[in-house]
Amino acid sequence: YTGSPERWHWDFAKRTLDVVVALLALVVLSPLFAVIALLVKLSSPGPILFRQKRVGYNKRVFEMYKFRTMYMEAEKMQSQLESQNEADGPVFKIRRDPRVTRVGRWLRKYSLDELPQLINVLKGDMSLVGPRPLPLRDVSRFGANWARRRFSVKPGLTCFWQVNGRSDLSFDEWMHLDLQYIDRWSLPLDVKILLK
């Protein structure tokens, strides 16, 4: 490790917070996990968990977990829906995505589909707080160097974007918030974002 001792201590403290909170959350929320798993299974055929390759720290590709909110073969249908993309920039978003199940809409509304990423946090792929990890499709369309800076930290479950408007923000505003987090990072800031 070539960083300063102070930086190492902060990194260790952040990782400790990640592991402790993720473990506690997994234990406390295990009954909720069981209920959601049952609802997903009953809502449509397919696996309970959705796994997708995402780009993380230093552009390392990892497999991210979510509760499945879409029908089977949804990813293959995306190319047919590109013309309906409502997001600016390289990301893909449709507010009334026809691929999403009824249970999936409810899970997404309250961000409950993201809970399995606590496992990603324990594995070290993600942190509790950090820029959201993006799919390979979105990252392949990144052009500006400033947008690539977001890969200098671990991606997270939540960050400024999630607590400051989310889908109502433009892509440029989203990226600006990510870079703001990277520049201002501190452990108290992580705790503040988690509480929000």
Side-chain angles (χ1 to χ4, degrees):
Y1 182 77
T2 57
S4 67
E6 183 181 0
R7 178 67 193 182
W8 185 88
H9 288 306
W10 279 115
D11 288 345
F12 179 76
K14 184 175 174 69
R15 179 62 184 153
T16 301
L17 178 69
D18 284 345
V19 171
V20 170
V21 173
L23 274 174
L24 285 173
L26 283 169
V27 171
V28 172
L29 297 174
S30 57
L32 179 60
F33 270 67
V35 171
I36 293 174
L38 181 62
L39 290 174
V40 171
K41 196 65 181 174
L42 294 175
S43 68
S44 65
I48 292 168
L49 289 182
F50 171 69
R51 302 161 186 254
Q52 186 181 53
K53 292 190 184 302
R54 298 284 177 116
V55 181
Y57 177 58
N58 278 340
K59 290 190 156 185
R60 186 177 69 84
V61 176
F62 70 97
E63 195 171 60
M64 191 187 79
Y65 309 123
K66 297 177 75 170
F67 282 118
R68 182 174 59 81
T69 59
M70 293 185 173
Y71 296 104
M72 292 294 291
E73 308 297 325
E75 283 197 287
K76 294 179 181 177
M77 293 171 58
Q78 183 168 322
S79 60
Q80 303 165 26
L81 299 169
E82 288 284 357
S83 62
Q84 299 177 42
N85 187 11
E86 298 170 4
D88 63 338
V91 294
F92 180 83
K93 297 266 183 203
I94 301 178
R95 288 185 188 274
R96 298 294 297 177
D97 195 321
R99 301 172 298 166
V100 180
T101 66
R102 185 181 300 178
V103 168
R105 292 190 195 288
W106 177 75
L107 293 176
R108 288 184 171 203
K109 180 178 180 180
Y110 298 103
S111 297
L112 295 174
D113 58 317
E114 312 285 359
L115 288 178
Q117 286 155 47
L118 290 166
I119 299 168
N120 286 117
V121 173
L122 284 182
K123 290 175 64 179
D125 297 324
M126 294 175 61
S127 178
L128 291 170
V129 183
R132 287 294 296 159
L134 295 174
L136 300 179
R137 171 223 175 260
D138 297 357
V139 174
S140 69
R141 302 182 182 202
F142 269 36
N145 288 329
W146 61 265
R148 298 179 191 278
R149 268 192 61 213
R150 72 195 304 278
F151 303 115
S152 64
V153 297
K154 277 186 183 180
L157 272 169
T158 189
C159 202
F160 280 145
W161 179 66
Q162 280 71 25
V163 297
N164 286 288
R166 233 171 140 166
S167 297
D168 294 328
L169 299 176
S170 69
F171 176 74
D172 284 353
E173 288 172 321
W174 174 10
M175 292 299 108
H176 176 73
L177 287 173
D178 283 348
L179 298 185
Q180 193 178 87
Y181 169 78
I182 293 169
D183 292 336
R184 290 176 51 194
W185 180 82
S186 69
L187 208 60
L189 179 60
D190 275 11
V191 173
K192 183 178 178 181
I193 292 173
L194 285 173
L195 290 174
K196 282 188 176 183

